Amino acid sequence: MARRTIRMLATALIGLVLFAGGCTTPSSPPTVATSSPASPSVTASATTAPDFTQPEAGLEIIRKLIDAAGNSRTIMVQVSRTEATVTVVVGAEAQAWGYRDGAIKQVATDIQYVDQAIFDINDFNLSDVGALFRTASSVSGSDAQQSLQVVDYSGGDVLMTVSTNPESRPVFFRSDGTLVSTLDFHTKSGIEEGLTDAIGQKQQVFRVGVDSALGAYIDYVGMNNTTLRRLRPAKFPASTSGRSNAPDRPEFHASVVSADRIWQVLEGLRQEGTFTSETVWSVAVEDREGTGTPKMYFTVGGTSFTTTLDGEKVG
Protein backbone atom coordinates (compact mmCIF):
# COMPACT_ATOMS: atom_id res chain seq x y z
CA MET A 1 0.00 0.00 0.00
CA ALA A 2 2.78 2.36 0.92
CA ARG A 3 4.58 1.60 -2.32
CA ARG A 4 1.42 2.32 -4.34
CA THR A 5 0.97 5.67 -2.56
CA ILE A 6 4.55 6.71 -3.19
CA ARG A 7 4.26 5.72 -6.86
CA MET A 8 1.06 7.73 -7.26
CA LEU A 9 2.64 10.81 -5.66
CA ALA A 10 5.68 10.55 -7.90
CA THR A 11 3.49 10.23 -10.98
CA ALA A 12 1.48 13.27 -9.97
CA LEU A 13 4.66 15.29 -9.32
CA ILE A 14 6.11 14.42 -12.71
CA GLY A 15 2.82 15.45 -14.34
CA LEU A 16 2.90 18.78 -12.64
CA VAL A 17 6.46 19.42 -13.76
CA LEU A 18 5.65 18.51 -17.34
CA PHE A 19 2.53 20.69 -17.22
CA ALA A 20 4.50 23.62 -15.89
CA GLY A 21 7.15 23.19 -18.52
CA GLY A 22 4.63 23.17 -21.31
CA CYS A 23 2.67 26.25 -20.13
CA THR A 24 4.91 29.26 -20.63
CA THR A 25 3.69 32.69 -19.61
CA PRO A 26 2.89 34.78 -22.72
CA SER A 27 5.60 37.41 -23.23
CA SER A 28 4.80 41.09 -23.69
CA PRO A 29 4.77 42.37 -27.26
CA PRO A 30 8.21 43.68 -28.33
CA THR A 31 8.63 47.35 -27.61
CA VAL A 32 9.04 49.46 -30.77
CA ALA A 33 11.50 52.34 -30.23
CA THR A 34 9.88 55.59 -31.22
CA SER A 35 12.24 58.33 -32.21
CA SER A 36 11.26 61.81 -31.16
CA PRO A 37 12.27 64.71 -33.36
CA ALA A 38 15.96 65.38 -33.12
CA SER A 39 16.67 67.78 -30.30
CA PRO A 40 18.27 71.05 -31.44
CA SER A 41 20.30 71.18 -28.29
CA VAL A 42 23.67 69.59 -28.00
CA THR A 43 22.90 68.30 -24.52
CA ALA A 44 19.11 68.42 -24.28
CA SER A 45 17.14 65.31 -23.41
CA ALA A 46 13.73 64.50 -22.01
CA THR A 47 14.98 65.04 -18.48
CA THR A 48 17.89 67.44 -18.90
CA ALA A 49 17.47 71.06 -19.91
CA PRO A 50 19.87 72.33 -22.57
CA ASP A 51 22.74 74.58 -21.62
CA PHE A 52 23.73 76.82 -24.50
CA THR A 53 26.52 78.38 -22.43
CA GLN A 54 28.59 75.23 -22.88
CA PRO A 55 31.38 75.47 -25.50
CA GLU A 56 30.03 75.15 -29.06
CA ALA A 57 26.43 74.61 -27.83
CA GLY A 58 25.30 78.17 -28.53
CA LEU A 59 26.77 78.21 -32.02
CA GLU A 60 25.27 74.82 -32.84
CA ILE A 61 21.72 75.80 -31.87
CA ILE A 62 22.03 79.04 -33.86
CA ARG A 63 23.04 77.08 -36.95
CA LYS A 64 20.14 74.66 -36.48
CA LEU A 65 17.70 77.54 -36.19
CA ILE A 66 19.02 79.09 -39.39
CA ASP A 67 18.71 75.73 -41.12
CA ALA A 68 15.11 75.45 -39.91
CA ALA A 69 14.36 78.95 -41.19
CA GLY A 70 15.81 78.02 -44.57
CA ASN A 71 17.33 81.47 -44.83
CA SER A 72 20.68 82.82 -43.64
CA ARG A 73 19.89 86.54 -44.06
CA THR A 74 20.22 87.12 -40.33
CA ILE A 75 19.43 90.43 -38.62
CA MET A 76 19.34 89.30 -34.98
CA VAL A 77 20.48 86.44 -32.76
CA GLN A 78 19.51 85.95 -29.11
CA VAL A 79 20.88 83.25 -26.83
CA SER A 80 20.33 82.60 -23.12
CA ARG A 81 21.24 79.53 -21.11
CA THR A 82 18.13 77.58 -22.19
CA GLU A 83 16.58 79.46 -25.11
CA ALA A 84 17.69 80.79 -28.49
CA THR A 85 16.13 82.84 -31.28
CA VAL A 86 17.26 83.77 -34.76
CA THR A 87 15.54 86.47 -36.83
CA VAL A 88 16.03 86.37 -40.58
CA VAL A 89 14.74 88.40 -43.51
CA VAL A 90 12.47 86.59 -45.95
CA GLY A 91 11.68 88.88 -48.85
CA ALA A 92 11.18 92.14 -46.99
CA GLU A 93 9.74 90.57 -43.85
CA ALA A 94 11.41 89.59 -40.58
CA GLN A 95 10.70 86.04 -39.40
CA ALA A 96 11.90 84.44 -36.18
CA TRP A 97 12.72 80.84 -35.32
CA GLY A 98 13.36 79.77 -31.77
CA TYR A 99 14.19 76.92 -29.46
CA ARG A 100 11.36 76.68 -26.93
CA ASP A 101 10.33 73.84 -24.61
CA GLY A 102 12.64 71.34 -26.24
CA ALA A 103 11.68 72.05 -29.85
CA ILE A 104 12.70 74.24 -32.78
CA LYS A 105 9.77 76.15 -34.24
CA GLN A 106 8.76 79.46 -35.79
CA VAL A 107 7.94 82.01 -33.11
CA ALA A 108 6.20 85.38 -33.07
CA THR A 109 8.30 88.51 -33.43
CA ASP A 110 7.62 92.23 -33.28
CA ILE A 111 10.81 93.06 -35.19
CA GLN A 112 10.38 94.83 -38.50
CA TYR A 113 12.98 94.94 -41.22
CA VAL A 114 13.98 98.57 -41.81
CA ASP A 115 17.33 98.14 -43.56
CA GLN A 116 19.20 96.79 -40.56
CA ALA A 117 22.56 95.26 -41.37
CA ILE A 118 22.30 91.63 -42.54
CA PHE A 119 25.18 89.57 -41.17
CA ASP A 120 26.76 86.13 -41.34
CA ILE A 121 27.01 84.34 -37.99
CA ASN A 122 30.30 82.82 -39.14
CA ASP A 123 31.82 86.30 -38.84
CA PHE A 124 31.22 86.24 -35.07
CA ASN A 125 33.01 84.33 -32.35
CA LEU A 126 30.05 82.50 -30.84
CA SER A 127 31.94 79.34 -29.99
CA ASP A 128 31.69 79.89 -26.22
CA VAL A 129 28.66 81.90 -25.09
CA GLY A 130 29.49 81.02 -21.48
CA ALA A 131 32.86 82.75 -21.74
CA LEU A 132 31.14 85.92 -23.00
CA PHE A 133 28.70 85.71 -20.08
CA ARG A 134 31.52 85.37 -17.55
CA THR A 135 33.40 88.36 -18.97
CA ALA A 136 30.21 90.42 -19.01
CA SER A 137 29.46 89.50 -15.40
CA SER A 138 32.90 90.69 -14.31
CA VAL A 139 32.20 94.08 -15.94
CA SER A 140 28.54 94.63 -15.03
CA GLY A 141 28.62 92.95 -11.63
CA SER A 142 25.59 90.78 -12.44
CA ASP A 143 24.95 87.36 -13.97
CA ALA A 144 21.17 87.35 -13.44
CA GLN A 145 19.34 85.81 -16.41
CA GLN A 146 22.03 86.78 -18.90
CA SER A 147 21.17 87.05 -22.57
CA LEU A 148 23.42 87.52 -25.59
CA GLN A 149 22.19 89.53 -28.56
CA VAL A 150 23.86 90.03 -31.93
CA VAL A 151 22.31 92.94 -33.80
CA ASP A 152 22.95 96.13 -35.78
CA TYR A 153 23.93 98.51 -32.99
CA SER A 154 24.21 101.70 -35.05
CA GLY A 155 24.85 102.67 -38.63
CA GLY A 156 25.40 99.13 -39.82
CA ASP A 157 27.83 98.18 -37.06
CA VAL A 158 26.84 94.73 -35.78
CA LEU A 159 27.95 94.02 -32.22
CA MET A 160 27.41 91.39 -29.56
CA THR A 161 25.74 92.61 -26.36
CA VAL A 162 25.20 90.81 -23.06
CA SER A 163 22.39 92.11 -20.86
CA THR A 164 20.77 90.88 -17.65
CA ASN A 165 17.36 90.78 -15.99
CA PRO A 166 16.97 92.74 -13.74
CA GLU A 167 18.76 95.12 -16.04
CA SER A 168 22.34 96.07 -15.25
CA ARG A 169 24.93 97.76 -17.42
CA PRO A 170 24.99 96.21 -20.92
CA VAL A 171 28.37 94.85 -21.94
CA PHE A 172 29.48 95.00 -25.59
CA PHE A 173 31.79 92.74 -27.58
CA ARG A 174 33.29 93.03 -31.04
CA SER A 175 32.76 90.31 -33.63
CA ASP A 176 35.96 88.52 -32.58
CA GLY A 177 34.73 88.29 -28.99
CA THR A 178 36.97 91.02 -27.58
CA LEU A 179 35.48 93.41 -25.07
CA VAL A 180 34.53 96.96 -26.06
CA SER A 181 36.54 98.60 -23.31
CA THR A 182 35.72 101.52 -21.07
CA LEU A 183 38.07 104.28 -22.20
CA ASP A 184 39.99 106.92 -20.29
CA PHE A 185 40.60 109.89 -22.56
CA HIS A 186 43.32 111.12 -20.23
CA THR A 187 45.55 108.27 -21.43
CA LYS A 188 47.31 107.56 -24.71
CA SER A 189 45.68 104.14 -25.07
CA GLY A 190 42.22 105.60 -24.46
CA ILE A 191 42.71 108.26 -27.13
CA GLU A 192 44.10 105.72 -29.58
CA GLU A 193 41.30 103.17 -29.15
CA GLY A 194 38.66 105.88 -29.17
CA LEU A 195 39.88 107.31 -32.47
CA THR A 196 40.21 103.86 -34.02
CA ASP A 197 36.61 103.03 -33.11
CA ALA A 198 35.27 106.42 -34.18
CA ILE A 199 37.01 106.44 -37.55
CA GLY A 200 36.23 102.81 -38.33
CA GLN A 201 36.32 102.28 -42.10
CA LYS A 202 35.78 105.94 -42.99
CA GLN A 203 38.44 107.64 -45.03
CA GLN A 204 37.17 111.10 -45.95
CA VAL A 205 36.15 113.33 -43.05
CA PHE A 206 36.02 117.06 -42.39
CA ARG A 207 36.60 116.92 -38.64
CA VAL A 208 38.22 114.52 -36.18
CA GLY A 209 38.02 115.25 -32.48
CA VAL A 210 38.52 114.07 -28.94
CA ASP A 211 36.68 115.57 -25.99
CA SER A 212 37.46 114.30 -22.50
CA ALA A 213 33.81 114.58 -21.49
CA LEU A 214 32.20 113.54 -24.77
CA GLY A 215 34.49 110.98 -26.42
CA ALA A 216 36.26 110.56 -29.75
CA TYR A 217 34.37 111.46 -32.92
CA ILE A 218 34.47 112.18 -36.62
CA ASP A 219 32.24 114.42 -38.75
CA TYR A 220 31.74 113.48 -42.38
CA VAL A 221 29.46 114.18 -45.33
CA GLY A 222 26.17 112.30 -45.46
CA MET A 223 23.51 112.02 -48.13
CA ASN A 224 22.02 115.22 -49.53
CA ASN A 225 24.95 117.24 -48.20
CA THR A 226 24.11 116.58 -44.56
CA THR A 227 26.52 116.02 -41.68
CA LEU A 228 26.98 112.68 -39.97
CA ARG A 229 28.79 112.29 -36.66
CA ARG A 230 30.23 109.01 -35.46
CA LEU A 231 30.94 109.18 -31.73
CA ARG A 232 32.76 106.73 -29.48
CA PRO A 233 31.98 107.64 -25.85
CA ALA A 234 33.93 106.24 -22.93
CA LYS A 235 31.48 103.48 -21.92
CA PHE A 236 29.65 102.59 -25.13
CA PRO A 237 30.48 101.55 -28.70
CA ALA A 238 30.65 104.06 -31.52
CA SER A 239 27.29 105.20 -32.86
CA THR A 240 26.26 107.40 -35.77
CA SER A 241 23.83 110.29 -35.72
CA GLY A 242 22.75 112.71 -38.40
CA ARG A 243 22.58 116.47 -38.45
CA SER A 244 20.65 118.60 -40.90
CA ASN A 245 23.34 121.28 -41.23
CA ALA A 246 25.67 121.10 -44.22
CA PRO A 247 29.39 120.33 -43.80
CA ASP A 248 31.28 123.50 -42.94
CA ARG A 249 34.89 122.48 -43.59
CA PRO A 250 36.94 120.96 -46.45
CA GLU A 251 37.40 117.20 -46.34
CA PHE A 252 40.69 115.43 -45.65
CA HIS A 253 41.87 111.86 -45.18
CA ALA A 254 41.33 110.58 -41.64
CA SER A 255 44.68 108.77 -41.65
CA VAL A 256 46.56 112.09 -41.22
CA VAL A 257 45.34 112.28 -37.60
CA SER A 258 47.71 110.64 -35.14
CA ALA A 259 46.82 109.67 -31.58
CA ASP A 260 50.56 109.66 -30.86
CA ARG A 261 50.87 113.33 -31.83
CA ILE A 262 47.80 114.32 -29.79
CA TRP A 263 49.23 112.55 -26.76
CA GLN A 264 52.64 114.12 -27.39
CA VAL A 265 51.07 117.56 -26.91
CA LEU A 266 49.22 116.49 -23.75
CA GLU A 267 52.25 114.76 -22.31
CA GLY A 268 54.25 117.96 -22.75
CA LEU A 269 51.60 119.83 -20.78
CA ARG A 270 51.58 117.12 -18.12
CA GLN A 271 55.32 117.58 -17.63
CA GLU A 272 54.70 121.30 -17.27
CA GLY A 273 52.08 120.61 -14.61
CA THR A 274 49.12 121.98 -16.60
CA PHE A 275 47.53 118.67 -17.54
CA THR A 276 46.33 116.00 -15.09
CA SER A 277 43.88 113.09 -15.06
CA GLU A 278 41.18 115.55 -13.99
CA THR A 279 41.80 118.26 -16.61
CA VAL A 280 38.94 118.98 -19.00
CA TRP A 281 40.34 119.08 -22.52
CA SER A 282 39.47 118.75 -26.19
CA VAL A 283 41.04 118.81 -29.64
CA ALA A 284 39.43 119.30 -33.04
CA VAL A 285 41.41 118.46 -36.16
CA GLU A 286 40.06 120.37 -39.16
CA ASP A 287 41.01 122.63 -42.05
CA ARG A 288 39.51 125.90 -40.83
CA GLU A 289 41.65 128.02 -43.13
CA GLY A 290 40.97 125.98 -46.26
CA THR A 291 44.66 125.47 -46.99
CA GLY A 292 44.35 121.77 -47.75
CA THR A 293 46.21 120.90 -44.56
CA PRO A 294 44.26 120.56 -41.31
CA LYS A 295 45.56 121.72 -37.96
CA MET A 296 44.90 120.59 -34.38
CA TYR A 297 42.90 123.06 -32.27
CA PHE A 298 43.30 122.34 -28.55
CA THR A 299 41.50 123.61 -25.49
CA VAL A 300 43.11 122.35 -22.28
CA GLY A 301 41.93 123.54 -18.90
CA GLY A 302 40.47 126.70 -20.39
CA THR A 303 43.55 127.56 -22.49
CA SER A 304 43.26 127.35 -26.28
CA PHE A 305 46.12 126.94 -28.77
CA THR A 306 46.81 125.50 -32.22
CA THR A 307 49.39 123.00 -33.43
CA THR A 308 50.40 121.39 -36.68
CA LEU A 309 49.56 117.72 -37.29
CA ASP A 310 53.01 116.98 -35.85
CA GLY A 311 52.14 118.69 -32.59
CA GLU A 312 54.20 121.85 -33.09
CA LYS A 313 52.56 125.01 -31.74
CA VAL A 314 51.69 127.69 -34.26
CA GLY A 315 50.40 131.26 -34.01
Side-chain angles (χ1 to χ4, degrees), residues 86-290:
V86 166
T87 304
V88 298
V89 178
V90 180
E93 177 184 295
Q95 296 183 3
W97 287 75
Y99 178 88
R100 303 286 189 277
D101 303 321
I104 289 178
K105 53 190 174 183
Q106 189 168 0
V107 295
T109 179
D110 57 1
I111 295 175
Q112 295 184 346
Y113 178 56
V114 286
D115 294 327
Q116 301 98 310
I118 294 173
F119 59 89
D120 184 340
I121 62 163
N122 295 311
D123 293 335
F124 293 82
N125 185 1
L126 294 164
S127 61
D128 194 342
V129 173
L132 297 176
F133 281 0
R134 289 189 292 274
T135 300
S137 176
S138 69
V139 174
S140 69
S142 174
D143 62 359
Q145 299 185 50
Q146 289 175 300
S147 176
L148 171 69
Q149 186 177 88
V150 186
V151 70
D152 184 341
Y153 175 75
S154 174
D157 292 329
V158 180
L159 295 174
M160 301 190 290
T161 310
V162 173
S163 58
T164 61
N165 187 14
E167 187 174 354
S168 61
R169 173 186 167 186
V171 180
F172 300 90
F173 296 87
R174 297 183 176 86
S175 60
D176 62 359
T178 57
L179 184 68
V180 176
S181 308
T182 297
L183 303 181
D184 181 354
F185 291 110
H186 290 84
T187 66
K188 178 182 176 181
S189 61
I191 296 169
E192 186 171 29
E193 185 172 343
L195 286 174
T196 297
D197 288 350
I199 294 171
Q201 301 299 315
K202 291 301 296 183
Q203 296 184 353
Q204 291 299 117
V205 298
F206 65 86
R207 185 178 294 111
V208 176
V210 182
D211 185 305
S212 60
L214 184 65
Y217 63 91
I218 60 171
D219 290 339
Y220 59 99
V221 180
M223 295 181 62
N224 301 319
N225 203 37
T226 57
T227 295
L228 293 178
R229 169 163 288 191
R230 181 174 165 85
L231 170 68
R232 167 57 157 108
K235 295 183 179 180
F236 293 94
S239 61
T240 304
S241 60
R243 302 180 176 189
S244 59
N245 56 301
D248 56 357
R249 297 284 188 269
E251 291 182 297
F252 59 90
H253 203 285
S255 63
V256 303
V257 181
S258 167
D260 286 343
R261 293 293 180 260
I262 293 173
W263 181 249
Q264 172 186 305
V265 173
L266 297 174
E267 174 64 13
L269 297 177
R270 187 186 67 79
Q271 293 179 5
E272 295 173 2
T274 56
F275 177 76
T276 71
S277 61
E278 304 297 325
T279 303
V280 176
W281 73 279
S282 66
V283 61
V285 184
E286 54 189 2
D287 185 7
R288 293 181 182 177
E289 300 169 351

Side-chain angles (χ1 to χ4, degrees), residues 74-87:
T74 309
I75 58 173
M76 189 173 72
V77 168
Q78 290 177 296
V79 183
S80 67
R81 182 177 294 277
T82 58
E83 293 187 349
T85 306
V86 166
T87 304

